[in-house]
């Protein structure tokens, strides 16, 4: 771990499993309570100086980007081994993380004049919170960490970061590497089980929690934050609908819809999690999706031919199996896949499920795996109603040759991001966050940066 700029051995350790084999391949440090206190104290101590020099912080962020670029060949295999994603996708995740640092380094921390007249000059300024607790999940460990670290640091905060116990290694290594370009204590990285996350959210030195993970844990984080009124940003789960309009040729969109659902083995918060297709095009769409699924290459992330790696962990693998079995019991038709691949690791076939609808767990819940249910609809109004009939509200997409019509429909979706004729195009420039139970606040762009600041109104009397 990295605490106060030092490499620290955990008080204990835990095994990290390679999802391609199901075997423990490394041990990660388990952070004790006193070690967490030391990390928090280091972050709080250096905050007073770190917050003073915006230009130094900007320069540091550019250097962080360079550090990542130079370490891609070390970090990418580590990421593939612990997360399962194809090596080429691990490289893309790391390049993205470097790009995020570069982009964030150029953002302005705004100073706005609210009023200037004969009597007063009123300015709205932005102050950092102090110590930020950053907690990340296992699907994109490095990029989601950087979405937090970069804006938090630019705004003048200091950070204690905890990755998921399923994928701690690349994040721990990144924390170590960044010490070359950051003052000691500005970024501390600790690892451990879920309880460590709970300690962080209740820690008296933390002023802001930036959390990415499931809705269930997000609610616990909100409760933990409440007694101390810590600020929270919650980036939570999604059950994101794609609505295919009647004017679309199913074959022409099937490949893009499939990969909008199955990228990262379906383990993307904002992946397509259910597809609504006009009844008259249902069978031809299913056929096209089944064809794409049958061609998708499942395998070890180190095999160059692999497009879809294993599910990241055993509980998630069990959950996928359970949701598909439940759909089968309720009369679903499996048009592609539907079961495990091989007899070791957590490989699951790319799976397309038909004859399901609202009321089936696979449609109602977030599956977070390589399984996509396809639901027929009679009218576009019905499809919109089904898309919105959920507590989730992360993203959604509309597919049509008529962009104006598609945009009108997208505006009716109760979600944080609506895509047209694409899905999963996440950019550093655009705010990303969820409506309803999918989250509170946003990340990325100037809007994400502001989440790491508090407003101070400076009101100066004239004359
Ligand atoms: P999770 O909620 O189980 O864990 C996320 C992190 O929280 C881990 O680091 C975990 O150790 C920690 N944690 C667990 N219990 C905690 C507690 N009581 N207090 C504080 N921290 C605690 O989620 P996961 O299974 O790792 O990730 C998958 C989920 O993340 C999915 O629901 C997915 O949609 C969501 N996700 C959301 C986004 C987004 O930007 N909206 C991005 C990626 C993933």
């Amino acid at each position: 771990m990295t605490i106060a700029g030092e490499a620290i051995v955990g008080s204990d350790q835990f095994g990290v499993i390679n999802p391609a084999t199901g075997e423990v391949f490394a041990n990660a440090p388990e952070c004790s309570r006193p070690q967490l206190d030391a990390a928090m104290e280091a972050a709080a101590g250096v905050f007073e100086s770190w917050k003073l020099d915006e230009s130094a912080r900007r320069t540091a962020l550019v250097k962080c980007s360079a550090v990542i670029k130079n370490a891609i060949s070390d970090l990418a295999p580590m990421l593939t081994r612990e997360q399962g994603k194809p090596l080429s996708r691990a490289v893309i995740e790391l390049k993205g993380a470097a790009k995020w640092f570069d982009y964030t380094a150029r953002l302005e921390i705004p100073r706005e004049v609210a009023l200037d007249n004969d009597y007063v000059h009123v300015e709205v300024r932005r102050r950092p919170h102090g110590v930020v607790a950053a907690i990340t999940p296992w699907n994109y460990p490095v990029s989601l960490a950087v979405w937090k670290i970069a804006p938090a640091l630019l705004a003048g905060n200091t950070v204690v970061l905890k990755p998921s116990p399923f994928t701690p290694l690349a994040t721990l290594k990144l924390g170590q590497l960044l010490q070359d370009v950051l003052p000691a204590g500005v970024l501390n990285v600790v690892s451990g089980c879920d309880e460590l996350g709970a300690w962080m959210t209740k820690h008296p030195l933390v002023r802001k929690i930036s959390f990415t993970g499931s809705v269930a844990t997000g609610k616990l984080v909100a409760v933990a934050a409440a007694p101390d009124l810590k600020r929270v940003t919650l980036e939570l789960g999604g059950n994101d609908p794609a609505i295919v309009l009647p004017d679309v040729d199913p074959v022409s969109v099937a490949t893009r819809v499939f990969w909008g659902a199955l990228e990262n083995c379906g383990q993307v918060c904002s992946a397509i999690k259910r597809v609504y297709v006009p009844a008259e095009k249902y069978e031809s769409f299913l056929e096209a999706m089944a064809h794409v699924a049958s061609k998708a290459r499942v395998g070890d992330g180190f095999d160059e031919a692999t497009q879809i790696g294993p599910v990241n962990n055993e509980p998630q693998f069990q959950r996928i199996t359970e949701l598909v079995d439940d759909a089968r019991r309720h009369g679903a038709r499996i048009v592609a896949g539907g079961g495990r691949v091989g007899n070791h690791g957590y490989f699951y076939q790319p799976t397309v499920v038909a004859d399901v609808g609202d009321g089936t767990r696979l449609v109602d819940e977030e599956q977070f795996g390589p399984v996509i249910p396809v639901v027929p609809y009679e009218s576009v109004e019905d499809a919109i109603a089904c898309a919105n009939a959920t507590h989730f509200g992360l993203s959604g997409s509309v597919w049509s040759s008529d962009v104006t019509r598609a945009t009108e429909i997208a505006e009716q979706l109760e979600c944080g991001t609506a895509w047209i004729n694409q899905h999963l195009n996440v950019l550093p420039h655009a705010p990303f966050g969820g409506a309803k139970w999918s989250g509170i606040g946003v990340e990325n762009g100037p809007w994400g940066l502001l989440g790491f600041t508090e407003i101070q109104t400076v009101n100066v009397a004239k004359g």
Side-chain angles (χ1 to χ4, degrees):
M1 300 184 289
T2 300
I3 298 176
E6 301 290 326
I8 301 290
V9 176
S11 63
D12 201 348
Q13 56 184 19
F14 60 95
V16 182
I17 291 174
N18 176 349
T21 63
E23 306 287 335
V24 171
F25 73 97
N27 288 307
E30 178 85 52
C31 180
S32 68
R33 184 74 215 222
Q35 288 175 323
L36 178 66
D37 288 342
M40 294 294 177
E41 279 153 23
V46 73
F47 171 63
E48 294 307 322
S49 55
W50 178 249
K51 70 180 181 190
L52 297 178
D53 189 345
E54 187 180 323
S55 142
R57 299 198 300 270
R58 227 170 261 293
T59 307
L61 255 59
V62 174
K63 289 183 181 166
C64 288
S65 174
V67 166
I68 297 183
K69 280 180 206 148
N70 290 334
I72 288 179
S73 56
D74 286 339
L75 290 171
M78 211 177 262
L79 189 51
T80 291
R81 202 160 275 124
E82 64 181 344
Q83 205 287 327
K85 65 186 64 192
L87 189 61
S88 58
R89 307 310 280 176
V91 168
I92 288 173
E93 176 169 350
L94 290 159
K95 284 185 176 166
K99 179 170 148 190
W100 243 261
F101 263 120
D102 262 336
Y103 167 82
T104 308
R106 291 197 298 273
L107 287 177
E108 289 298 319
I109 302 170
R111 272 190 179 195
E112 294 150 289
V113 176
L115 183 64
D116 185 59
N117 60 21
D118 292 345
Y119 312 105
V120 287
H121 177 79
V122 184
E123 243 184 50
V124 179
R125 298 185 183 183
R126 303 282 172 166
R127 292 164 49 80
H129 293 285
V131 177
V132 171
I135 301 175
T136 51
W138 45 258
N139 57 341
Y140 288 92
V142 175
S143 52
L144 294 176
V146 170
W147 287 17
K148 301 180 187 314
I149 303 168
L153 296 188
L154 181 70
N157 305 281
T158 54
V159 174
V160 178
L161 166 67
K162 184 197 93 66
S164 163
F166 291 113
T167 53
L169 301 176
T171 312
L172 287 166
K173 183 71 184 169
L174 177 68
Q176 196 178 19
L177 294 170
L178 293 179
Q179 297 313 302
D180 286 349
V181 295
L182 294 172
V186 161
L187 171 65
N188 305 272
V189 186
V190 294
S191 65
C193 58
D194 292 349
E195 192 183 21
L196 176 62
W199 292 346
M200 289 169 72
T201 57
K202 291 182 192 141
H203 201 284
L205 290 177
V206 169
R207 288 312 314 146
K208 159 98 191 184
I209 303 164
S210 179
F211 173 84
T212 304
S214 63
V215 169
T217 312
K219 289 182 181 180
L220 295 177
V221 171
V223 170
D228 191 29
L229 293 181
K230 296 185 199 311
R231 281 25 178 185
V232 289
T233 297
L234 301 175
E235 296 289 351
L236 309 179
N239 189 13
D240 300 358
I243 301 179
V244 177
L245 295 190
D247 64 354
V248 160
D249 166 21
V251 178
S252 74
V253 296
T255 301
R256 277 177 290 152
V257 170
F258 179 85
W259 287 109
L262 273 281
E263 175 64 33
N264 207 36
C265 194
Q267 302 164 127
V268 190
C269 52
S270 55
I272 297 173
K273 307 261 168 64
R274 45 199 174 118
V275 191
Y276 292 92
V277 178
E280 68 272 18
K281 302 239 164 127
Y282 194 57
E283 290 306 327
S284 52
F285 184 81
L286 287 169
E287 197 181 315
M289 287 285 278
H291 179 72
V292 181
S294 69
K295 300 272 175 220
R297 297 285 293 267
V298 179
D300 189 314
F302 287 102
D303 179 343
E304 273 183 22
T306 294
Q307 293 173 292
I308 300 178
V311 172
N312 173 257
N313 57 70
E314 219 257 328
Q316 189 58 26
F317 182 85
Q318 292 304 340
R319 182 171 158 71
I320 296 301
T321 308
E322 197 181 298
L323 289 176
V324 173
D325 289 349
D326 177 76
R328 268 200 189 96
R329 277 197 302 278
H330 288 86
R333 182 165 42 116
I334 311 295
V335 297
R340 158 171 227 144
V341 179
N343 52 15
H344 67 282
Y346 312 131
F347 295 99
Y348 200 93
Q349 291 174 307
T351 298
V352 180
V353 181
D355 301 347
V356 278
D358 292 17
T360 311
R361 285 184 63 200
L362 182 60
V363 178
D364 293 351
E365 299 180 18
E366 180 187 38
Q367 67 273 42
F368 216 62
V371 179
I372 184 72
V374 183
V375 182
Y377 70 79
E378 293 298 334
S379 74
V380 174
E381 288 66 34
D382 288 349
I384 297 168
C386 287
N388 288 335
T390 169
H391 284 299
F392 293 100
L394 195 54
S395 77
S397 56
V398 183
W399 301 74
S400 172
S401 54
D402 180 346
V403 171
T404 309
R405 170 90 177 115
T407 308
E408 279 165 14
I409 291 167
E411 283 169 4
Q412 297 176 56
L413 296 179
E414 296 163 356
C415 59
T417 300
W419 282 293
I420 312 290
N421 294 331
Q422 59 174 344
H423 205 104
L424 288 182
N425 184 10
V426 177
L427 299 163
H429 319 75
F432 182 80
K436 301 194 268 186
W437 284 7
S438 288
I440 294 177
V442 296
E443 294 193 299
N444 303 334
W447 304 271
L449 174 65
L450 293 184
F452 287 101
T453 67
E454 269 192 311
I455 280 183
Q456 183 182 52
T457 306
V458 179
N459 190 333
V460 183
K462 285 188 183 172

